[in-house]
Amino acid sequence: MSNALELTDVSKRYGPRWALARLTLQLREGASLLLTGHNGSGKTTLLRILATAFRPTTGLVRLFGRDAVAERESLRPRIGLLGHTSFLYEDLTARENCALLARLAGRSAAEARAVLDRVGLGARADQPVRTFSAGMKKRVAIARLLLKQPELALLDEPFGALDPAGIAEMEEHIRSLTSSGATVVLATHQVAHGLTLCTERLHLVEGRAAPP
């Protein structure tokens, strides 16, 4: 099986500080990686690099065998990111947010409606997102991710702002991504949840791979 991602001696610098330092990593297609570490350890920076939002300062990043910097525009449709920021249009309804993505991703209006039902927001689909709680916004964000059907799903603290029932539902959504063949990279402080969902683990300390 081919690798979904390959990092070779990757470093990222912000001014005088190195957020990542000489990180080398391989993850095969369809695998799931748990990314752990304290705040400031480099988890979010790594996810942003894998999402092609950031460029590494040094080193090589390849996604699905292709250079993630040189070919980032053609790779982005294959990647889904669930981050700290929801990237939702607050004045649009949940349905409108999903319908907009559906048009961009080549999905149907029926698929956009179905995914809102899937995350438990069918009854609230026509309410503006700005009226939603943080947990409900997280549900819209995961709905958009599921609708995109990414080959590489990058999840940054997906359990944040969710109650126990929401956490259980999020776990099921993550399992559905892996069962569909997507490669998943999951960053979370809730290690126990992550260990049940992922087959591999990378622990970061000050931007370097370290024993957990």
Side-chain angles (χ1 to χ4, degrees), residues 39-101:
N39 289 336
S41 62
K43 302 188 303 298
T44 295
T45 294
L46 175 56
L47 289 175
R48 295 290 181 173
I49 287 174
L50 294 176
T52 74
F54 291 171
R55 298 186 181 196
T57 304
T58 61
L60 176 65
V61 179
R62 297 184 69 82
L63 301 176
F64 305 106
R66 300 162 67 180
D67 188 310
V69 173
E71 300 185 65
R72 63 186 181 277
E73 294 302 328
S74 61
L75 284 166
R76 283 177 177 171
R78 305 173 69 178
I79 302 167
L81 173 65
L82 180 67
H84 293 288
T85 303
S86 66
F87 302 109
L88 300 173
Y89 295 96
E90 295 271 331
D91 288 331
L92 298 183
T93 66
R95 190 189 309 278
E96 289 168 338
N97 269 275
C98 287
L100 178 59
L101 178 65

Side-chain angles (χ1 to χ4, degrees), residues 78-154:
R78 305 173 69 178
I79 302 167
L81 173 65
L82 180 67
H84 293 288
T85 303
S86 66
F87 302 109
L88 300 173
Y89 295 96
E90 295 271 331
D91 288 331
L92 298 183
T93 66
R95 190 189 309 278
E96 289 168 338
N97 269 275
C98 287
L100 178 59
L101 178 65
R103 287 195 293 271
L104 295 174
R107 309 287 181 239
S108 68
E111 288 175 296
R113 290 192 297 271
V115 77
L116 286 170
D117 288 333
R118 186 174 169 187
V119 300
L121 287 176
R124 308 287 294 274
D126 294 314
Q127 294 183 11
V129 167
R130 59 180 164 75
T131 67
F132 286 180
S133 66
M136 291 173 65
K137 289 178 181 178
K138 180 66 68 71
R139 288 172 183 263
V140 181
I142 191 65
R144 283 166 51 90
L145 181 74
L146 295 171
L147 183 61
K148 189 174 184 181
Q149 300 176 14
E151 295 173 60
L152 175 61
L154 308 171

